Amino acid sequence: MSILDKLVSWARSRSVWMIHYCSACGAVEFPPLVMSPLDWERYGYMPAPTPRQSDLYVGMGYLTKKTVKLFLNMYRQVPEPRFVAAGCNCTATGGLYWDSYATYKRLDDFVEVEGWVPGCMPMPDDYFSLLEYLRKKIANSRIETHISRIKPDAFEKIARYEDLERQWLKEYLEKVSKQAGEPINYQFTPSYPDCYEVSDKHKICKVSVERDRLRQVLRELKEQDFKLFININTVDYPDKGVIELYYILENPETGEQKWVKTFVPRSNPLVDSVHDIFPLALYIEREVYEMMGVEFKNHPSLRKWILEGNWEGPPPLRKDVDTAGFVIKTMYGGYRYGR
Amino acid sequence: MGDREYQVLYFGPQHPGAPGNIAFKLWLDGDRVVKAEVIPGFLHRGFEKMMENRTWEMNVTMSYRFCVEDPDHLEIAYALAVEDIYRAEIPENAKWLRMIQAEMGRVASHLFWSHFIGGSVGLRTPAYWAVAAREEILKWFARISGHRIYHNLSVPGGIRYALPENFKEETLRVVNFVEEKARDVEDALLRNSIFKARLRGLGKLSGEEALSLGVTGPVLRASGVKYDLRVNAPYLNYDKVRFEVPVGSAGDAYERSVVRFKEIQQSLSIIRQSVEELRPGEPLRVKLGLSAPAGEGVARVESARGEYMIHIISQGGRRPYRVRLKSMSMPLLTTVVDYLISKEEVTIADFPVILASLDPCPPDLDR
C-alpha cells in the first residue's frame, strides 16, 4: 500500500456511517451506544438517515421474511464500499425463534457478513468491540478485499421458500374441503344475559350467545357501559370441529370485563363483522382472519395484513397446521438438530 | 380516493421518525397528510404459535420478547396467568419485588419515550439525559437478574433469584438518581417554548373518542378518563400502596407528555413504599409442578402503554393449548392514527411527533 492508500483507508475507518434502520429488538441497546454513556461519534460513527449516504448495515436481531426482502432492496442502494455486520444470536442461528414460520435463520444466507456480535441481547460494549474490529480491519487492508456482497442466489432462495408455502396452502385447502362434510361434536348452550362463568379475582363475567345474535348482544352491552373493545380471542378445536371466539369488552368505570363467547364450525367459519360498533374490531378481525382463517361478513377490507410478505401458507394458528414441522422440513433438511 | 389526485409516500420502516420497524403509506396533499395506512408485519414472529410448542418454563423467555421497551409487565403477566392455572399463591415478598420490577420497567419505558419525543422535535440534549438515567435502571436490573433488557426475573411461582446484598440501599440510590434526572428532563422538555409550540393542540382526543377507539393507558388518561387497572382491578399488592393516577384534560400531545412525567414520579413513590415492605431472607418462590392442571389462566396488568391481557388455555400436560396475547399498541397505531388524520390538519412534519406522543411499540402489534 502506498502512503496515499493508507491515508485513504485511515480516513475511511474513521468515518463509518450506519443505516439508521432499527430492524429488530437488538436496536434497543443502540441508544446507550450512540448517546450516553458510550457516545460512538467520537470514533466518527454516525447513523445516516438514507442508504445512499451510509456504509454499514447492522442486522439487529431476528430477520423476518418481510424485513429481509426490504433490507436486500435497500442494500442495493448503498454505494460501495459497504459492510454488513450481524448483531445478536438470531441473525446467526435463528436463535430463540428457530421454529418460527416467519423468520429466516441466517443473515449470511443472503449477504456476506463482515463481523458477528453474539449475545441476547449483546451489551452496548459488545457492539462497541464490533466497531473497533471493523475500524482496524478497514484501516489495515485494501478496501476491495471486504465489500459485503449480496449472495447471487439470495432472491431465488426467497422465491423457493414462498413456493413451498404456497404448495402447502394448496394441500391444506384440499384437505379442508374433504373434511367439510364431517359433523361437529360440540355442546353449546347460550346463556346470555346470565354469566355461565364468573371470576371475581379478575372481574370477568363470561356469557355465551349464538353467532346470529352476536351483533345485537354486543350492541346491548355497549349501551350498558361496556364501551371499551379489548380483543377477540380465538381457540381452535379440530376434534370438535369448531372454532370458539371470545369478544372481550370492558367497562372503563369499574374495570369489569364481559367475555362474549360464540363459535363457528370449522367447515364454515363465517361470522358477522362488528367493526361499525367498535372501530378497533376492523383491525382485530383482520388479524383473526389471517391467523385463524375465520371470515367476517361485511368487513370492508378482509385481507392479509401482518402476514403479508411473511407467510404464504395456511392460517398458522389453526391446530392442525404444524408450522414447526414445516420449518424443520424446509429449513433444516428434516433434521431437527441440523441447525 | 384515487391515487392520482394525491402524492403517495412511504413513511418508514427505514426512517428516523418512524417509531420502530413499521411503515405507513401516506397520501399527501401538499404537505398535509390526508390518509395514512399502517403496514405492519416487519416484526412478526408468531409468538402465539411458538408458545404452543414450548413447555411452561421455556415460555417464560418467550412471554416478554414482543415489546422490547417494556418487557417487565409482559413477563409478570405471564407468570400471573400460569399461577392462575396452577391455583398457586406466591409469597408476599415476591409480590412486592414484582411491583418494584414492574414500576422500574415503567420508568425505564417512559424515559426511553422522552428520548423519542425529544428527538422528534429536535431537542436532543434532554434525550441524552433520559438515556443516561435509563442506563442506571438497566444496571440495577443487571445487578439483580444478570440481564439489562430481558430479565427472566418473574417466573411462575415467584422470583427466580435471591436478592443481592444491599438491595434496599442500592434501589433507593437508583430511585433518587432517576428522580433527579427525570425532573431535569421534564423541565428541559415541558418548559421549552419550541416543545410547547409544537405539541400543544396537536393530536387531540376527547375522553369519549379515546374510549370508542379502544385506547387505554396514558393516552386515555391524558384525555381525562381516570382509568388505571392498578386501581380499578388491582393485581399484586397495588391495593396496599398509596399513589395517585395522573389525569390530564386537554388530551393533546403535550398533555400526554405531562401525564407520563407525572407517572414516573408516582412509580418511584410506589417503589419507595414497596422496598420498605420487602423482608430480606424470607422465601421468594414456591415450586410448581412440571405439568399443569387443565384450566384457564388470565392476567390483566397495566403496562406502560395501556392494558395488557394474556389468556392461556391448558388441557393439562407440559405445554399450553392456546395462548392469546393482547396488543397494547394496536389501537394507537391503527384507529387513533386514522381518526386524528381524518379530524385534524396533520402535516408531514407533525406526523412523527404525533406518533411519538402516542408511544406505540410496533413489535407488540406484530407479535
Side-chain angles (χ1 to χ4, degrees):
Chain A
M1 273 205 273
S2 70
I3 290 190
L4 186 64
D5 281 348
K6 274 186 184 166
L7 184 68
V8 168
S9 298
W10 177 83
R12 235 174 216 148
S13 76
R14 292 276 172 165
S15 60
V16 179
W17 291 8
M18 187 193 78
I19 303 180
H20 191 292
Y21 177 42
C22 306
S23 57
C25 54
V28 82
E29 284 289 34
F30 269 78
L33 172 66
V34 174
M35 307 165 97
S36 50
L38 286 173
D39 187 17
W40 71 355
E41 279 192 30
R42 55 202 166 119
Y43 289 102
Y45 287 93
M46 200 181 85
T50 152
R52 290 168 205 88
Q53 295 167 355
S54 39
D55 314 291
L56 172 68
Y57 167 83
V58 183
M60 308 162 184
Y62 54 91
L63 308 153
T64 63
K65 295 178 174 174
K66 204 169 179 175
T67 300
V68 166
K69 277 183 253 179
L70 180 104
F71 159 65
L72 291 176
N73 194 7
M74 188 166 75
Y75 190 67
R76 288 191 287 197
Q77 303 168 26
V78 179
E80 289 181 351
R82 54 193 184 184
F83 312 95
V84 172
C88 304
N89 293 344
C90 298
T91 44
T93 63
L96 199 63
Y97 313 119
W98 66 272
D99 62 341
S100 166
Y101 55 86
T103 63
Y104 289 126
K105 309 307 170 198
R106 294 176 65 114
L107 186 56
D108 60 353
D109 281 349
F110 301 98
V111 64
E112 290 168 10
V113 175
E114 285 289 317
W116 300 85
V117 189
C120 183
M121 30 198 56
M123 304 227 312
D125 323 34
D126 299 334
Y127 281 121
F128 209 85
S129 55
L130 164 84
L131 302 181
E132 278 288 273
Y133 166 79
L134 279 182
R135 198 162 63 83
K136 284 188 185 137
K137 197 168 175 181
I138 298 168
N140 296 329
S141 56
R142 296 188 71 85
I143 201 68
E144 295 79 27
T145 59
H146 48 82
I147 299 168
S148 305
R149 289 183 189 82
I150 295 180
K151 294 270 169 82
D153 61 342
F155 294 96
E156 282 167 36
K157 243 179 225 159
I158 293 175
R160 202 164 62 230
Y161 283 127
E162 286 182 353
D163 272 350
L164 287 170
E165 288 163 15
R166 275 191 210 102
Q167 203 181 326
W168 190 23
L169 176 65
K170 223 171 104 190
E171 286 165 17
Y172 182 80
L173 290 178
E174 274 168 22
K175 200 183 90 187
V176 167
S177 64
K178 264 181 219 159
Q179 289 172 343
E182 288 175 19
I184 61 168
N185 157 32
Y186 180 64
Q187 300 292 323
F188 186 83
T189 40
S191 78
Y192 184 80
D194 300 326
C195 305
Y196 72 91
E197 195 182 318
V198 181
S199 157
D200 289 331
K201 188 176 158 199
H202 305 295
K203 293 195 178 181
I204 289 173
C205 148
K206 297 181 184 172
V207 299
S208 52
V209 294
E210 254 141 7
R211 60 173 158 165
D212 321 335
R213 283 182 62 214
L214 181 72
R215 278 177 62 86
Q216 181 202 341
V217 167
L218 288 183
R219 208 175 256 140
E220 281 172 27
L221 286 174
K222 194 182 180 185
E223 278 157 21
Q224 296 166 21
D225 275 344
F226 287 91
K227 310 182 235 194
L228 202 53
F229 188 80
I230 296 290
N231 212 351
I232 302 176
N233 291 4
T234 44
V235 194
D236 183 23
Y237 292 103
D239 45 340
K240 295 178 187 166
V242 296
I243 297 172
E244 281 181 359
L245 295 123
Y246 298 87
Y247 287 71
I248 302 177
L249 307 179
E250 195 162 298
N251 183 337
E253 271 142 41
T254 58
E256 286 171 78
Q257 274 192 348
K258 274 262 197 291
W259 291 31
V260 182
K261 177 181 160 184
T262 186
F263 78 97
V264 290
R266 290 178 105 240
S267 53
N268 176 24
L270 186 68
V271 69
D272 284 326
S273 169
V274 295
H275 74 273
D276 48 339
I277 310 174
F278 299 103
L280 184 59
L282 186 77
Y283 296 96
I284 295 182
E285 281 172 356
R286 205 186 272 170
E287 190 200 326
V288 170
Y289 163 73
E290 61 183 354
M291 300 284 182
M292 195 54 106
V294 177
E295 286 175 28
F296 292 89
K297 217 191 288 173
N298 299 331
H299 191 291
S301 52
L302 209 55
R303 57 179 169 84
K304 272 198 181 179
W305 190 45
I306 293 173
L307 290 184
E308 194 205 352
N310 275 329
W311 179 243
E312 306 288 336
L317 283 182
R318 291 262 181 120
K319 271 288 174 186
D320 53 355
V321 174
D322 179 16
T323 53
F326 180 77
V327 169
I328 290 168
K329 200 170 71 188
T330 54
M331 290 189 175
Y332 302 125
Y335 179 44
R336 179 170 172 165
Y337 300 100
R339 65 196 172 108
Chain B
M1 187 178 296
D3 288 358
R4 241 173 284 155
E5 300 162 48
Y6 297 103
Q7 189 185 0
V8 176
L9 187 75
Y10 282 89
F11 175 89
Q14 193 268 317
H15 187 287
N21 197 352
I22 194 162
F24 284 90
K25 190 177 178 186
L26 303 181
W27 281 262
L28 298 178
D29 180 14
D31 72 341
R32 191 191 155 183
V33 183
V34 288
K35 191 186 159 196
E37 191 183 291
V38 64
I39 305 173
F42 293 99
L43 298 159
H44 177 70
R45 286 148 280 173
F47 275 97
E48 293 174 6
K49 188 73 181 182
M50 279 192 285
M51 284 173 88
E52 287 170 12
N53 297 332
R54 283 166 170 72
T55 56
W56 297 104
E57 62 276 11
M58 284 159 91
N59 272 334
V60 175
T61 54
M62 302 296 287
S63 61
Y64 50 79
R65 278 175 200 261
F66 54 90
C67 183
V68 64
E69 287 150 35
D70 180 27
D72 300 283
H73 288 99
L74 316 184
E75 183 183 314
I76 289 169
Y78 173 75
L80 287 173
V82 175
E83 284 152 14
D84 201 23
I85 294 174
Y86 278 88
R87 311 247 172 274
E89 196 57 45
I90 62 164
E92 280 296 296
N93 232 5
K95 287 188 188 170
W96 290 113
L97 194 56
R98 275 186 189 172
M99 277 169 67
I100 299 175
Q101 183 199 358
E103 296 307 318
M104 280 286 192
R106 188 188 314 276
V107 174
S109 171
H110 283 351
L111 285 170
F112 208 45
W113 156 83
S114 64
H115 139 74
F116 281 121
I117 191 105
S120 71
V121 293
L123 295 168
R124 293 273 158 78
T125 311
Y128 271 65
W129 304 341
V131 172
R134 177 173 168 272
E135 185 75 12
E136 277 303 306
I137 298 180
L138 300 188
K139 280 184 191 157
W140 178 87
F141 270 124
R143 182 164 301 196
I144 62 167
S145 73
H147 297 270
R148 285 161 57 88
I149 305 291
Y150 293 141
H151 309 122
N152 288 328
L153 191 59
S154 289
V155 294
I159 296 289
R160 189 167 166 204
Y161 303 105
L163 290 180
E165 277 180 40
N166 299 335
F167 173 77
K168 199 166 153 183
E169 292 77 22
E170 188 61 22
T171 309
L172 290 177
R173 188 188 66 74
V174 172
V175 166
N176 291 335
F177 178 85
V178 170
E179 183 170 31
E180 196 192 324
K181 282 279 177 282
R183 282 201 198 284
D184 285 352
V185 178
E186 185 180 344
D187 279 353
L189 282 180
L190 296 186
R191 293 194 189 171
N192 186 302
S193 50
I194 298 173
F195 193 81
K196 283 184 195 167
R198 287 291 300 275
L199 269 74
R200 279 231 168 109
L202 188 70
K204 261 193 173 181
L205 276 180
S206 76
E208 278 302 308
E209 290 162 354
L211 284 175
S212 76
L213 297 174
V215 178
T216 50
V219 179
L220 177 65
R221 291 194 283 277
S223 303
V225 181
K226 193 169 183 174
Y227 183 60
D228 189 324
L229 281 188
R230 291 175 291 174
V231 176
N232 293 80
Y235 52 100
L236 297 175
N237 280 338
Y238 277 107
D239 45 351
K240 294 182 190 158
V241 290
R242 276 175 294 115
F243 66 101
E244 280 171 25
V245 179
V247 179
S249 54
D252 57 3
Y254 186 78
E255 201 76 39
R256 282 173 216 140
S257 316
V258 174
V259 165
R260 288 208 180 89
F261 278 114
K262 281 186 186 162
E263 273 188 13
I264 291 181
Q265 303 300 340
Q266 293 301 326
S267 295
L268 294 175
S269 146
I270 295 175
I271 295 172
R272 284 209 178 93
Q273 297 172 43
S274 309
V275 165
E276 294 303 322
E277 303 285 342
L278 271 182
R279 300 278 169 268
E282 281 183 22
L284 282 165
R285 186 176 179 183
V286 290
K287 292 268 179 206
L288 306 179
L290 286 176
S291 347
E296 285 184 38
V298 180
R300 300 163 63 195
V301 300
E302 181 74 28
S303 82
R305 284 164 185 74
E307 174 170 356
Y308 171 65
M309 204 179 95
I310 178 166
H311 177 211
I312 305 179
I313 294 179
S314 161
Q315 291 193 337
R318 301 268 286 126
R319 291 176 170 79
Y321 183 75
R322 172 87 170 97
V323 184
R324 177 68 168 146
L325 314 161
K326 181 198 181 283
S327 162
M328 302 88 79
S329 307
M330 173 85 87
L332 302 178
L333 284 165
T334 55
T335 48
V336 173
V337 170
D338 286 354
Y339 179 76
L340 289 177
I341 283 170
S342 70
K343 201 185 73 167
E344 277 179 27
E345 277 196 29
V346 177
T347 62
I348 185 89
D350 283 338
F351 190 66
V353 183
I354 288 184
L355 286 179
S357 82
L358 297 169
D359 192 18
C361 181
D364 96 57
L365 169 66
D366 292 348
R367 278 159 291 152

